[in-house]
Amino acid sequence: MSFDRSIKIAPSILSADFASFGAEIRAIEAQGADWVHVDVMDGHFVPNLTFGPPAVKAFRPHVKTVMDVHLMIAPVDPYIEAYAEAGADLITAHVEAGPHIHRTLQAIKAQGVKAGVALNPGTPAEAVADVLDLCDMVLVMTVNPGFGGQKFIHSGIEKTRKVRAMIGDRPIHIQIDGGVTPETAPLVAEAGADVLVAGSAVFKGGSVDRADIYGDNIRAIRAAAEAARSN
Ligand code: DX5
Ligand code: ZN
């Protein structure tokens, strides 16, 4: 995982066919996905339940790019080792998930994986100021976490601009998650984001048998984001 600020599209498999994860992951990668985003939910920190470590471990052999694991769970520290052993390349924890985000990020790094810190829409950019040196990525949520297919919350744009300024020259990605489409991607790309998660906007209209539609959807998001960068 080398660092650059080029636009990267990370489809969220929360919008995939849950009976066919291996084939879905192979399809999105063949169609141009840069990373694969795995949304882990616990029915406590967020009102939905998804993937435990054995599920994530089963995804691993299918992911040839980067397996990006977004933990929406609390507490988070007791599960870091299990998700690292399941094969995550990058583990993101929420600043709101507990009182000790600094310790959580240290624990992720201690597993030898990249560390991300996530901000809910109601949490200000400043909440991550003192942990940036422990981070490889800041995730700015543009929906309240828990479900795919929600509407983009625009306050994430100015927050992204603030995070980008705080990061300066440091090799830290900015990821956007929630409501990313060809319409909203340019707004956050221009503000400084480089990794765009998209669930419904990638999987919409396609299937493993019509993976070309995934490709069209990925290209449309990427083209819109890149155009905003070059303006
Ligand atoms: C929300 C998840 C997202 C979600 C994005 O809790 O973290 O990754 O799947 O889905 P869309 O792109 O449909 O908003
Ligand atoms: Zn996510």
Side-chain angles (χ1 to χ4, degrees):
M1 247 184 107
S2 59
F3 181 84
D4 68 56
R5 289 195 197 286
S6 64
I7 296 292
K8 290 164 280 293
I9 309 297
S12 164
I13 59 168
L14 191 62
S15 295
D17 173 1
F18 272 40
S20 312
F21 282 117
E24 291 277 40
I25 289 167
R26 295 193 301 276
I28 53 175
E29 289 196 340
Q31 293 295 327
D34 299 286
W35 294 11
V36 174
H37 185 81
V38 179
D39 284 308
V40 173
M41 304 184 182
D42 67 350
H44 170 73
F45 181 68
V46 293
N48 197 0
L49 275 169
T50 58
F51 314 120
V56 175
K57 188 174 180 187
F59 304 154
R60 177 69 264 183
H62 301 281
V63 179
K64 304 294 181 218
T65 57
V66 171
M67 190 160 73
D68 164 31
V69 176
H70 177 193
L71 296 182
M72 288 161 275
I73 67 175
V76 58
D77 294 9
Y79 300 100
I80 289 169
E81 186 177 1
Y83 283 100
E85 283 179 358
D89 293 303
L90 186 149
I91 294 178
T92 298
H94 271 260
V95 76
E96 307 86 2
H100 298 297
I101 188 64
H102 189 282
R103 177 184 292 154
T104 299
L105 293 167
Q106 283 181 319
I108 295 171
K109 298 294 257 185
Q111 292 295 320
V113 303
K114 303 272 187 198
V117 63
L119 291 163
N120 276 336
T123 306
E126 290 72 18
V128 297
D130 290 352
V131 293
L132 287 176
D133 286 327
L134 287 168
C135 287
D136 301 287
M137 186 172 83
V138 177
L139 164 50
V140 177
M141 291 298 303
T142 41
V143 296
N144 285 298
F147 304 95
Q150 303 182 81
K151 199 169 165 311
F152 181 87
I153 297 173
H154 281 74
S155 56
I157 301 167
E158 273 317 301
K159 194 184 298 184
T160 299
R161 223 180 286 289
K162 280 189 194 162
V163 171
R164 181 68 194 87
M166 280 160 54
I167 285 173
D169 292 336
R170 290 178 273 196
I172 303 174
H173 297 291
I174 300 180
Q175 182 175 64
I176 304 296
D177 188 2
V180 171
T181 65
E183 289 69 46
T184 57
L187 308 174
V188 286
E190 190 274 327
D194 63 306
V195 189
L196 306 181
V197 175
S200 20
V202 166
F203 286 91
K204 187 181 63 180
S207 66
V208 165
D209 295 329
R210 286 302 311 273
D212 57 305
I213 295 175
Y214 297 162
D216 291 345
N217 291 341
I218 290 170
R219 280 186 291 279
I221 299 166
R222 191 193 305 283
E226 286 178 348
R229 281 279 191 83
S230 57
N231 281 340

